[in-house]
Short mmCIF file of all heavy atoms in Angstrom, two decimals:
data_model
loop_
_atom_site.label_atom_id
_atom_site.label_comp_id
_atom_site.label_asym_id
_atom_site.label_seq_id
_atom_site.Cartn_x
_atom_site.Cartn_y
_atom_site.Cartn_z
N LYS E 20 27.54 -17.28 -3.43
CA LYS E 20 26.74 -16.14 -3.80
C LYS E 20 25.81 -15.72 -2.66
O LYS E 20 25.63 -14.56 -2.37
CB LYS E 20 25.91 -16.47 -5.03
CG LYS E 20 26.68 -16.41 -6.28
CD LYS E 20 25.74 -16.44 -7.50
CE LYS E 20 26.48 -16.22 -8.81
NZ LYS E 20 25.61 -15.93 -9.92
N PHE E 147 -1.59 -12.18 18.71
CA PHE E 147 -0.23 -12.04 18.13
C PHE E 147 0.00 -10.61 17.66
O PHE E 147 1.06 -10.04 17.87
CB PHE E 147 -0.01 -13.02 16.96
CG PHE E 147 1.37 -12.87 16.35
CD1 PHE E 147 2.44 -13.51 16.93
CD2 PHE E 147 1.59 -12.05 15.24
CE1 PHE E 147 3.71 -13.36 16.37
CE2 PHE E 147 2.81 -11.90 14.71
CZ PHE E 147 3.91 -12.52 15.30
N LEU E 159 11.91 -3.00 16.65
CA LEU E 159 12.19 -2.89 15.23
C LEU E 159 12.38 -1.47 14.77
O LEU E 159 12.55 -1.17 13.57
CB LEU E 159 11.03 -3.56 14.44
CG LEU E 159 10.89 -5.03 14.66
CD1 LEU E 159 9.63 -5.57 14.00
CD2 LEU E 159 12.09 -5.80 14.14
N PHE E 162 15.00 -0.39 12.31
CA PHE E 162 14.80 -0.50 10.88
C PHE E 162 13.86 0.55 10.35
O PHE E 162 13.32 0.38 9.25
CB PHE E 162 14.27 -1.90 10.52
CG PHE E 162 15.18 -3.02 10.93
CD1 PHE E 162 14.91 -3.82 12.06
CD2 PHE E 162 16.36 -3.27 10.22
CE1 PHE E 162 15.76 -4.81 12.42
CE2 PHE E 162 17.20 -4.29 10.62
CZ PHE E 162 16.91 -5.06 11.69
N TYR E 165 14.07 5.43 5.66
CA TYR E 165 14.58 6.77 5.32
C TYR E 165 13.71 7.38 4.24
O TYR E 165 12.98 6.70 3.51
CB TYR E 165 16.03 6.65 4.73
CG TYR E 165 17.06 6.26 5.71
CD1 TYR E 165 17.34 4.93 5.96
CD2 TYR E 165 17.77 7.20 6.42
CE1 TYR E 165 18.30 4.55 6.87
CE2 TYR E 165 18.74 6.83 7.33
CZ TYR E 165 18.99 5.51 7.53
OH TYR E 165 19.96 5.14 8.45
N SER E 168 14.28 12.52 0.28
CA SER E 168 14.33 13.98 0.35
C SER E 168 15.02 14.48 1.59
O SER E 168 15.67 15.54 1.58
CB SER E 168 12.93 14.59 0.24
OG SER E 168 12.17 14.15 1.34
N PRO E 195 -0.19 16.11 3.73
CA PRO E 195 0.00 17.24 2.81
C PRO E 195 -0.63 18.48 3.38
O PRO E 195 -1.73 18.40 3.97
CB PRO E 195 -0.75 16.84 1.57
CG PRO E 195 -0.97 15.40 1.68
CD PRO E 195 -0.94 15.03 3.13
N GLN E 197 -2.66 21.06 2.87
CA GLN E 197 -3.67 21.59 1.96
C GLN E 197 -4.68 22.39 2.81
O GLN E 197 -4.85 22.11 3.99
CB GLN E 197 -4.39 20.47 1.26
CG GLN E 197 -3.44 19.56 0.51
CD GLN E 197 -4.04 18.23 0.17
OE1 GLN E 197 -5.27 18.16 -0.06
NE2 GLN E 197 -3.26 17.20 0.18
N LYS E 207 -18.64 14.80 0.90
CA LYS E 207 -18.96 13.57 0.13
C LYS E 207 -19.43 12.49 1.09
O LYS E 207 -20.34 11.74 0.78
CB LYS E 207 -17.73 13.09 -0.61
CG LYS E 207 -17.51 13.74 -1.94
CD LYS E 207 -16.27 13.21 -2.60
CE LYS E 207 -15.78 14.18 -3.65
NZ LYS E 207 -14.46 13.95 -4.12
N ILE G 33 5.60 -9.46 9.67
CA ILE G 33 6.41 -10.19 10.67
C ILE G 33 5.79 -11.57 10.91
O ILE G 33 6.51 -12.57 11.10
CB ILE G 33 6.51 -9.39 12.00
CG1 ILE G 33 7.29 -8.13 11.73
CG2 ILE G 33 7.16 -10.22 13.08
CD1 ILE G 33 7.31 -7.18 12.89
N GLU G 34 4.45 -11.61 10.88
CA GLU G 34 3.76 -12.91 11.11
C GLU G 34 4.21 -13.92 10.10
O GLU G 34 4.48 -15.08 10.46
CB GLU G 34 2.24 -12.73 10.98
CG GLU G 34 1.60 -11.92 12.07
CD GLU G 34 1.44 -10.47 11.68
OE1 GLU G 34 2.36 -9.89 11.09
OE2 GLU G 34 0.38 -9.90 12.04
N TYR G 243 0.88 5.82 -2.17
CA TYR G 243 0.45 7.04 -1.47
C TYR G 243 0.11 8.15 -2.46
O TYR G 243 -0.96 8.79 -2.40
CB TYR G 243 1.55 7.50 -0.53
CG TYR G 243 1.23 8.77 0.19
CD1 TYR G 243 0.33 8.78 1.26
CD2 TYR G 243 1.76 9.99 -0.23
CE1 TYR G 243 0.00 9.98 1.90
CE2 TYR G 243 1.43 11.19 0.42
CZ TYR G 243 0.57 11.14 1.48
OH TYR G 243 0.21 12.30 2.14
N ASN G 251 -9.23 12.17 -4.33
CA ASN G 251 -9.47 13.62 -4.29
C ASN G 251 -8.92 14.30 -3.05
O ASN G 251 -9.50 15.24 -2.51
CB ASN G 251 -10.97 13.90 -4.34
CG ASN G 251 -11.57 13.49 -5.67
OD1 ASN G 251 -10.94 13.71 -6.71
ND2 ASN G 251 -12.73 12.91 -5.66
N LYS G 252 -7.77 13.80 -2.55
CA LYS G 252 -7.20 14.41 -1.39
C LYS G 252 -6.01 15.29 -1.77
O LYS G 252 -5.34 15.86 -0.93
CB LYS G 252 -6.71 13.31 -0.42
CG LYS G 252 -7.83 12.59 0.25
CD LYS G 252 -7.29 11.44 1.14
CE LYS G 252 -8.42 10.61 1.69
NZ LYS G 252 -7.95 9.40 2.37
N ASP G 436 9.34 12.16 -2.66
CA ASP G 436 9.71 10.88 -2.04
C ASP G 436 8.99 9.70 -2.64
O ASP G 436 9.37 8.57 -2.48
CB ASP G 436 9.42 10.94 -0.52
CG ASP G 436 10.51 11.72 0.20
OD1 ASP G 436 11.71 11.47 -0.07
OD2 ASP G 436 10.16 12.58 0.98
N ASN G 468 28.75 -11.65 -11.98
CA ASN G 468 27.94 -11.90 -10.81
C ASN G 468 27.26 -10.63 -10.27
O ASN G 468 27.22 -10.41 -9.07
CB ASN G 468 28.76 -12.54 -9.67
CG ASN G 468 29.29 -13.91 -10.11
OD1 ASN G 468 28.52 -14.78 -10.47
ND2 ASN G 468 30.64 -14.05 -10.08
N PHE G 483 15.18 -0.28 4.27
CA PHE G 483 15.27 1.08 4.68
C PHE G 483 14.57 2.12 3.80
O PHE G 483 14.52 3.29 4.13
CB PHE G 483 16.76 1.51 4.81
CG PHE G 483 17.43 0.88 6.00
CD1 PHE G 483 18.40 -0.09 5.84
CD2 PHE G 483 17.03 1.23 7.27
CE1 PHE G 483 19.02 -0.66 6.95
CE2 PHE G 483 17.63 0.65 8.39
CZ PHE G 483 18.64 -0.32 8.24
N ARG G 485 11.37 1.31 2.31
CA ARG G 485 10.06 0.75 2.04
C ARG G 485 8.99 1.87 2.16
O ARG G 485 9.17 2.84 2.87
CB ARG G 485 9.76 -0.38 2.99
CG ARG G 485 9.76 -0.01 4.46
CD ARG G 485 9.70 -1.23 5.35
NE ARG G 485 9.50 -0.89 6.75
CZ ARG G 485 10.48 -0.57 7.61
NH1 ARG G 485 11.71 -0.53 7.18
NH2 ARG G 485 10.18 -0.24 8.84
#
Side-chain angles (χ1 to χ4, degrees):
Chain E
K20 282 193 174 193
F147 180 82
L159 296 173
F162 299 104
Y165 291 89
S168 61
Q197 304 162 33
K207 276 181 200 165
Chain G
I33 295 174
E34 292 93 320
Y243 177 76
N251 294 321
K252 290 177 185 170
D436 282 312
N468 296 304
F483 288 113
R485 60 190 189 275

